[in-house]
Amino acid sequence: SISVDHCYMIDHIGQIFFPRHAHVEIRHCLMQRAKTGGQVNQSQLLVSHSVFTDFPDDSDNYLDEDNDGLYINDCDASINASVFMYAKDEGLDSGASPGGEITISHTRLQTNCHEGAALSSGRGLIKNHYLKHCIFMDNGQALELGYSSEDHHVYADSCKFVGNGIGIRYGDCYDWYHRGMMHISNSESIDNLTADVWNMVREDWSADTSQMKFDNVLVSKAIPMYPELIIQANDD
């Protein structure tokens, strides 16, 4: 078991932590300036009231070295009231490994070069991801369900996706299988530079509209493939 509370871990060359088959609790901590915030493997993870920022550094030099805030590999995880920002890859990466249930609530994912949260899974695996009361701002893509199993479900409720390149994304840059499902409810995806919602699977460069469901979701402008989306009123 690993428990850290009111600690700071800064200026590391590699990963800050790399537990396997562990019970990990991180509360009121700062993880800053490292190659990655850390990778957790085959474990139980709790993160609360913590900040993960500047991976690998706080410069404006772009790097492509898997510089994630947190990489969650085959774990059950609960993340609450925390911040993941300024990662030159993803704020949170769920990896492609076996299973796991991840719950993220009251958390901010901001200014991550690729995705705020990149969610994926290998073929035939069961994964459930739940997001509630989260804010995604200024990411390349805010929330992405990429290559995924047919038993991978992402539920986002009462979240905001504002000012990203892309707000909500189904599909990714890999031409692998995409079979997971996204359910977005009581949320808003507005003022995103390229698209508030983008469904494009590189596997065959087409949209799979059956894999995204929306309930009471606000967007900046109409998206024909999803007529159920609510259009933001124009104050002008």
Side-chain angles (χ1 to χ4, degrees):
S1 295
I2 302 168
S3 179
V4 290
D5 195 347
H6 287 86
C7 297
Y8 60 89
M9 304 178 190
I10 62 175
D11 297 314
H12 285 256
I13 293 174
Q15 293 176 316
I16 290 179
F17 49 83
F18 189 88
R20 298 181 63 192
H21 304 290
H23 184 87
V24 181
E25 296 184 359
I26 299 169
R27 293 184 172 92
H28 306 98
C29 289
L30 170 65
M31 311 292 181
Q32 185 175 22
R33 292 193 300 273
K35 185 167 185 177
T36 74
Q39 178 172 334
V40 185
N41 307 272
Q42 298 88 38
S43 298
Q44 303 291 316
L45 171 67
L46 169 67
V47 177
S48 178
H49 296 84
S50 295
V51 175
F52 290 70
T53 186
D54 302 323
F55 304 106
D57 54 36
D58 52 6
S59 75
D60 58 3
N61 299 321
Y62 176 70
L63 296 174
D64 187 10
E65 298 179 345
D66 211 19
N67 304 116
D68 299 324
L70 182 59
Y71 191 93
I72 302 172
N73 184 42
D74 190 14
C75 296
D76 291 331
S78 176
I79 299 169
N80 177 57
S82 294
V83 176
F84 296 84
M85 62 193 305
Y86 300 127
K88 293 180 181 177
D89 200 356
E90 280 86 46
L92 287 170
D93 191 331
S94 78
S97 58
E101 183 169 299
I102 299 174
T103 300
I104 307 168
S105 61
H106 298 93
T107 289
R108 189 180 192 94
L109 301 103
Q110 181 172 344
T111 318
N112 299 291
C113 282
H114 286 162
E115 282 81 43
L119 309 177
S120 53
S121 57
R123 191 185 298 272
L125 301 178
I126 299 173
K127 276 191 176 182
N128 291 301
H129 292 140
Y130 303 92
L131 300 96
K132 193 163 187 177
H133 297 296
C134 293
I135 296 175
F136 294 77
M137 293 184 66
D138 193 36
N139 303 283
Q141 297 186 133
L143 177 63
E144 176 197 83
L145 176 56
Y147 60 92
S148 49
S149 159
E150 59 275 6
D151 291 316
H152 188 162
H153 294 266
V154 175
Y155 303 90
D157 182 67
S158 303
C159 294
K160 292 187 176 183
F161 309 89
V162 181
N164 304 279
I166 293 169
I168 303 166
R169 170 78 192 279
Y170 184 81
D172 61 23
C173 294
Y174 298 104
D175 57 352
W176 300 345
Y177 46 90
H178 298 76
R179 303 291 185 271
M181 173 69 74
M182 300 186 84
H183 311 253
I184 313 295
S185 58
N186 306 312
S187 298
E188 57 185 62
S189 184
I190 59 174
D191 301 329
N192 297 291
L193 182 63
T194 301
D196 293 328
V197 174
W198 190 33
N199 186 324
M200 181 59 66
V201 177
R202 192 179 176 191
E203 193 176 4
D204 54 11
W205 283 119
S206 65
D208 187 349
T209 57
S210 65
Q211 302 304 100
M212 298 181 82
K213 292 186 177 180
F214 299 94
D215 180 26
N216 190 32
V217 175
L218 182 72
V219 294
S220 302
K221 58 184 179 181
I223 301 172
M225 67 176 65
Y226 294 111
E228 67 270 30
L229 292 168
I230 303 167
I231 313 305
Q232 182 184 34
N234 190 336
D235 293 336
D236 295 336

